[in-house]
Amino acid sequence: MSHKVEIAPTGRASCRGCKQNIAKGTPRFGEEFRNPYSEEGGLSYRYWHLACAATKVANELAPALAAYEGELEGRAEVEALVREHMKPEMPFAEHAPNGRARCRGCDETIPKGELRVAFERMFEGPAGPQKAAAYAHARCLAKYLEREKEAGREAPAPSDLLATVERHSGEKLAPEDLAALREGLGTA
C-alpha cells in the first residue's frame, strides 16, 4: 500500500488518533486502506496528524516520512517519536506495558510487567482483513503453539521460534527473559 505524508489541502479531514480536524496547510499522514464500501475494492485514506501517527502507527509512518522530501517543521521531533514507538517485527518478546491483553495459551490476563510474546494474527474487521497482535505468557508458549496446530494454523518449531523472538526482540531481553522463554518452550 502507498501511505503518504502531504500538506493538507483543506481543513475537512479529522485525525484518526485525536479526532480533531487537521488544519489546512499542516502536514498530515495518509494511511492507505482498502475501502470496505467500494464494490470494486477501491482504496482510500485515513488521515492523521504526524505526532498522532508517530505514536499509534509508527511502523507505517516511518517509510512515508523518510520518502517525503518537503520541508516539515518539527521533523526531528516526529522522527524521535517514530523511533520511540516503532514495534519490532513479529513474533517478539516484551514486558506487558499494561494488564489488558489475554494469553492465547491459558486465556488468563497477562499482568503489567510480565514477559509475553506477541504473534501476528489476521482477523476480519469492519474495514476488511486487519492485522493485530495475539499474546502468550512466556510460560504458555508450548500450549499456544499446540492450540495453533490444533486450529490448523501453521506454528513454528520451538527452537525456530526462540531464535526468531531473540532476533526480533534484540537488546530488550535480559538473560532471565531468555531463560523464561526457553522454559516455556520446553527447550531449557
Side-chain angles (χ1 to χ4, degrees):
M1 297 209 149
S2 181
H3 304 312
K4 62 184 178 181
V5 171
E6 66 181 9
I7 302 301
T10 69
R12 294 184 315 219
S14 56
C15 175
R16 295 288 292 195
C18 68
K19 310 297 185 224
Q20 301 297 311
N21 279 359
I22 301 171
K24 179 180 179 175
T26 60
R28 67 182 184 182
F29 171 59
E31 179 187 21
E32 189 176 51
F33 72 103
R34 192 152 313 281
N35 185 344
Y37 303 107
S38 168
E39 290 181 20
E40 300 85 34
L43 300 175
S44 190
Y45 286 95
R46 294 182 261 237
Y47 293 105
W48 302 76
H49 289 111
L50 291 182
C52 294
T55 61
K56 300 290 186 188
V57 289
N59 290 46
E60 291 79 6
L61 174 59
L65 188 60
Y68 184 73
E69 295 175 357
E71 191 68 32
L72 288 176
E73 188 177 320
R75 185 181 198 122
E77 291 84 4
V78 171
E79 288 173 343
L81 278 173
V82 167
R83 283 190 301 277
E84 180 184 337
H85 290 90
M86 287 282 286
K87 291 180 176 57
E89 191 177 343
M90 289 194 202
F92 65 89
E94 68 179 359
H95 290 272
N98 55 51
R100 295 188 311 225
R102 294 188 74 77
C103 175
R104 296 290 175 140
C106 68
D107 292 323
E108 293 177 13
T109 300
I110 302 173
K112 181 178 181 175
E114 189 165 329
L115 184 64
R116 68 183 187 181
V117 176
F119 296 90
E120 184 174 271
R121 68 181 183 100
M122 294 292 291
F123 70 96
E124 193 63 38
Q130 297 179 1
K131 290 182 187 178
Y135 299 99
H137 290 107
R139 68 178 183 268
C140 297
L141 287 173
K143 186 186 285 187
Y144 172 77
L145 294 176
E146 188 60 37
R147 281 187 168 187
E148 289 296 290
K149 287 179 187 174
E150 288 172 1
R153 292 186 285 270
E154 212 173 302
S159 59
D160 293 340
L161 177 61
L162 182 63
T164 303
V165 167
E166 191 172 352
R167 187 174 66 250
H168 292 172
S169 304
E171 69 281 347
K172 290 183 178 182
L173 292 181
E176 58 270 13
D177 294 336
L178 287 171
L181 291 171
R182 284 188 192 94
E183 187 177 323
L185 287 166
T187 60

